[in-house]
Amino acid sequence: MNILLITNLYPNPLEPNRGIFTSQLVEKLSTVCEVTVMSPVPWFPKWSLLSGLKQWYKFAQVPDRAVLKNIEVIYPKYIVIPKLFGFLQSATLYLSLVFKIAKLNRRKKIDVINAQWMYPDGVAATYAAKTLGIPVVVSALGCDINLYATTAYPVRRFQIMNTLRTAEQSIAISSAQSKVMSEDLGADARKLSIVLNGVNQDLFRIQNRDECVRKFSLDPANQYILYVGRLSDEKGIIPLLKAIGILHKENLDPRVKLLVIGNGELWDECQALANALGITDRVIFKGERPYSEIVDWMGAATLHCLPSYREGCPNVVLEALASGRPVIATRVGSVPEVLRESNGVIAEPGDESSIAAAIKKGLQTSWNEQDIRASVKDFTWQKMADRYKSIFEAALH
């Protein structure tokens, strides 16, 4: 089969860490299908006088196409409407995609389009697929359903509902998400599958903790709680810092430190909060690090913590477990399907007291790293790619 995968969550030469999980799926998909990727990016003028607007100017520097790990990747540019008119993004993206898809289809006939991320990608890709008479499979990943399909975004919700009813097949990333898509958004349960994420188990593996600690010049006498993710509201970094503040007041062993890997719009707020809580000596902000380093940060950690408000199937949880590290995570997305007593502790989202209690329990528990790794032995990208292939085949019939 010749598959066109459309997603904004994919690496590009300016953002090599973007959508790593999608690229890992595509690598394995390419062993069972022929895959081309279209990864839309916002249009921005390539005027040097605007180069100071780094958040946006980077999009002007993304090339029209690239070959990444032997995969052809096309980067269509589309006009992003300001937030007030965000419901129009699917229309501008459709206009950008439809002609490029038609041109690609003439060059090599596309059997199935798979759109990863429901809005605007899935909506626009489905419009384009129907215009061109190509079967389409849409994949929901997290906030595209947890946020944009809620009544807070009525126009986007309507578009997503229409897309789910129109697509030949749809994919959810957790049982909870599948239930919302079928019971609340009208997806046909007979055409709805659940496919969780995989994890690169060759890369993420059990390592010698002391060696990883020394690699980053950390103190081997300390215990490290690791957070890897954006410093943004939905990731729950603020409740996590408040939880560390609670434990600090309870006289938690001073050798317990929080390692924060990542950057984002809350960077300054997080620094200020750590100072206000009196925990600056407990929190180590390392900023964004290359993906290739994350495996060693996992190896240096005692626990991994993901305190999100919303998630799909968070790869960082699977990566920590594959590294033999117990996980503290909130009850969102697929987390309840992945965590159990032998590999982690579940807390309630946005509840710093619950997160603090879960961290304390995690630090007091005697964990078996081999059992933790074994808990995700079936979460391989190849198995997920094979599931995708069977769903694409169903879309053709």
Side-chain angles (χ1 to χ4, degrees), residues 88-242:
L88 294 176
Q89 287 184 14
S90 56
T92 61
L93 181 54
Y94 164 80
L95 293 173
S96 175
L97 290 177
V98 67
F99 299 107
K100 290 180 173 60
I101 295 173
K103 182 178 180 180
L104 180 65
N105 194 39
R106 289 192 294 270
R107 175 158 63 92
K108 50 181 180 182
K109 184 179 180 302
I110 300 167
D111 294 307
V112 176
I113 293 173
N114 174 219
Q116 300 248 338
W117 194 253
M118 288 298 303
Y119 189 90
D121 309 48
V123 172
T126 300
Y127 289 157
K130 296 309 173 184
T131 300
L132 300 170
I134 303 172
V136 62
V137 176
V138 290
S139 300
L141 299 182
C143 289
D144 48 354
I145 294 294
N146 301 336
L147 181 61
Y148 293 146
T150 65
T151 54
Y153 295 87
V155 180
R156 297 184 203 192
R157 174 182 168 88
F158 173 79
Q159 294 178 66
I160 290 171
M161 291 174 71
N162 185 60
T163 295
L164 288 171
R165 291 166 179 156
T166 304
E168 274 71 22
Q169 295 282 327
S170 56
I171 298 173
I173 208 162
S174 70
S175 296
Q177 190 180 70
S178 173
K179 184 176 181 180
V180 171
M181 290 166 68
S182 61
E183 296 182 6
D184 184 39
L185 301 176
D188 186 341
R190 296 168 298 178
K191 299 179 180 180
L192 174 59
S193 303
I194 301 171
V195 184
L196 276 67
N197 281 340
V199 59
N200 184 336
Q201 302 201 22
D202 294 325
L203 179 63
F204 290 93
R205 62 201 184 280
I206 295 172
Q207 297 192 86
N208 182 285
R209 182 178 178 275
D210 290 341
E211 290 178 3
C212 292
V213 165
R214 284 195 296 271
K215 180 173 183 177
F216 297 118
S217 301
L218 300 172
D219 187 341
N222 291 338
Q223 296 186 76
Y224 294 101
I225 302 163
L226 179 65
Y227 169 88
V228 179
R230 278 189 58 75
L231 304 189
S232 56
D233 281 328
E234 74 278 3
K235 291 297 183 181
I237 182 65
I238 297 300
L240 174 57
L241 290 172
K242 290 180 178 178

Side-chain angles (χ1 to χ4, degrees), residues 169-343:
Q169 295 282 327
S170 56
I171 298 173
I173 208 162
S174 70
S175 296
Q177 190 180 70
S178 173
K179 184 176 181 180
V180 171
M181 290 166 68
S182 61
E183 296 182 6
D184 184 39
L185 301 176
D188 186 341
R190 296 168 298 178
K191 299 179 180 180
L192 174 59
S193 303
I194 301 171
V195 184
L196 276 67
N197 281 340
V199 59
N200 184 336
Q201 302 201 22
D202 294 325
L203 179 63
F204 290 93
R205 62 201 184 280
I206 295 172
Q207 297 192 86
N208 182 285
R209 182 178 178 275
D210 290 341
E211 290 178 3
C212 292
V213 165
R214 284 195 296 271
K215 180 173 183 177
F216 297 118
S217 301
L218 300 172
D219 187 341
N222 291 338
Q223 296 186 76
Y224 294 101
I225 302 163
L226 179 65
Y227 169 88
V228 179
R230 278 189 58 75
L231 304 189
S232 56
D233 281 328
E234 74 278 3
K235 291 297 183 181
I237 182 65
I238 297 300
L240 174 57
L241 290 172
K242 290 180 178 178
I244 298 298
I246 290 172
L247 294 172
H248 176 68
K249 285 185 176 180
E250 294 178 358
N251 297 316
L252 180 69
D253 189 328
R255 292 172 296 180
V256 177
K257 310 291 184 181
L258 174 65
L259 274 172
V260 178
I261 307 295
N263 208 336
E265 59 269 23
L266 297 185
W267 175 270
D268 291 339
E269 185 177 339
C270 287
Q271 301 274 343
L273 179 60
N275 184 59
L277 294 172
I279 56 172
T280 52
D281 61 335
R282 285 191 180 273
V283 185
I284 304 169
F285 292 95
K286 302 300 293 187
E288 187 170 355
R289 306 304 306 156
Y291 184 70
S292 57
E293 266 188 28
I294 301 302
V295 61
D296 293 321
W297 288 107
M298 295 285 189
T302 306
L303 302 173
H304 187 275
C305 189
L306 184 68
S308 301
Y309 286 93
R310 300 183 297 270
E311 283 290 349
C313 180
N315 267 83
V316 71
V317 167
L318 301 179
E319 290 164 352
L321 296 175
S323 302
R325 298 299 179 254
V327 170
I328 310 302
T330 42
R331 194 182 305 278
V332 293
S334 66
V335 168
E337 299 171 54
V338 175
L339 292 191
R340 59 203 67 149
E341 287 188 0
S342 62
N343 64 5

